[in-house]
Amino acid sequence: LDWCHDAVQGVSRTFALTVDVLDEPMSSYICIGYLLCRVADTVEDSSSISPGEQAHLLRLYDSALDPDDDTDIDEFVTAVEPHLPPEGERSDDWMVVANAARVFRTFDALPDDVREAVTPPVRELVSGMAMFVERHSDTGGLRIQSREELEEYCYYAAGTVGNLITNLVTRGNVDRERSSRLYDTAEEFGLLLQLVNIAKDVHDDYTAENNVYLPAEWLDEEGVPQEEVVEPENLSKTASVVFRTATHAKSFVDDAQTYLETVPLRDGNTLAAWAIPFLLAVGTLRELLANPEHAVTGEGVKVSRQEVFAVVSAMNDASSESLAEMRNTIARQPFHRTTTNAD
């Protein structure tokens, strides 16, 4: 369990913040659930593994997750081993893949109801990734074609994680109306975060992973082939599609806020854990809409460390009633430039 908590610090700065501000036992539940997803995500993102082999590994991993299947996680580890970077050269992401059996053993030690809450959405994420790899196997990387396909991909990559969180926080006595509202908005919470990532990472997704998530139909309207998405001569046109993607992401902000205002604070769950990534996404949207070209050039679009610190500090004492005010403030200007109680 200690290894899992250390590992999550290396693979995602934002999710590490979430785990850090959760209390136990939810902190460990979310940490391990996230690492289970990260194994699949790393395999799916790899540009050095052929699409056919990626799909095979993901299907094998899904079988290992299936409690009714005899496939053992060691079979996945053996199959993925030839694709691991040499020891000493492995990124934090690949270290998690190499230690998938350790993550599984830690997961198996959790209570039955926790494993039953986590397993279905993780398996849906894994099978969805396998399906997308197979669908785009001819191009050697993902080439999203339409807004509908973009939202479908975002559901598998992040909407499923929203359902994982909801499964965990609705165990036990949660009234039907509240539970229904949570499940109605959980996917939108995930879609918001994923769409923001897609909009801000256009350059790296293409150059490092050979993936183009900006829909071909939107790029076609600007006269930009997907294979030329980061070419300097297409900068302004691609930036307009980034702006359009960010605007689409913004349409999910209201539902994401409703989710946060409804989520039960039990078993160590805290508002700050989910409000921090939400508010940082709002801040990233602000930067994207102001400078969409930075996502194309590789210059990078992100909120500053000072703003991250200010948001985390403010959320330690914040309530759901103050969430809307903080969201509106961050949408206008960097939060650390605003006078807060933290000052």
Side-chain angles (χ1 to χ4, degrees), residues 266-326:
R266 60 197 304 180
D267 286 345
N269 192 37
T270 64
L271 175 63
W274 311 114
I276 288 170
F278 168 74
L279 293 172
L280 294 181
V282 172
T284 305
L285 278 176
R286 180 195 68 230
E287 299 300 316
L288 272 167
L289 294 170
N291 300 290
E293 66 278 1
H294 290 178
V296 186
T297 61
E299 191 171 344
V301 179
K302 60 183 179 180
V303 299
S304 68
R305 289 182 179 272
Q306 294 96 324
E307 184 168 12
V308 172
F309 179 78
V311 169
V312 172
S313 299
M315 278 309 307
N316 285 333
D317 302 315
S319 65
S320 59
E321 289 75 19
S322 61
L323 188 61
E325 182 180 351
M326 290 180 67

Side-chain angles (χ1 to χ4, degrees), residues 191-225:
L191 260 64
L192 166 67
L193 301 185
Q194 188 66 24
L195 282 168
V196 169
N197 284 338
I198 282 171
K200 75 180 182 65
D201 292 335
V202 171
H203 182 273
D204 290 349
D205 283 339
Y206 182 69
T207 58
E209 299 171 2
N210 191 29
N211 292 325
V212 181
Y213 299 104
L214 298 182
E217 64 178 16
W218 291 358
L219 288 167
D220 286 345
E221 291 175 19
E222 299 292 335
V224 179

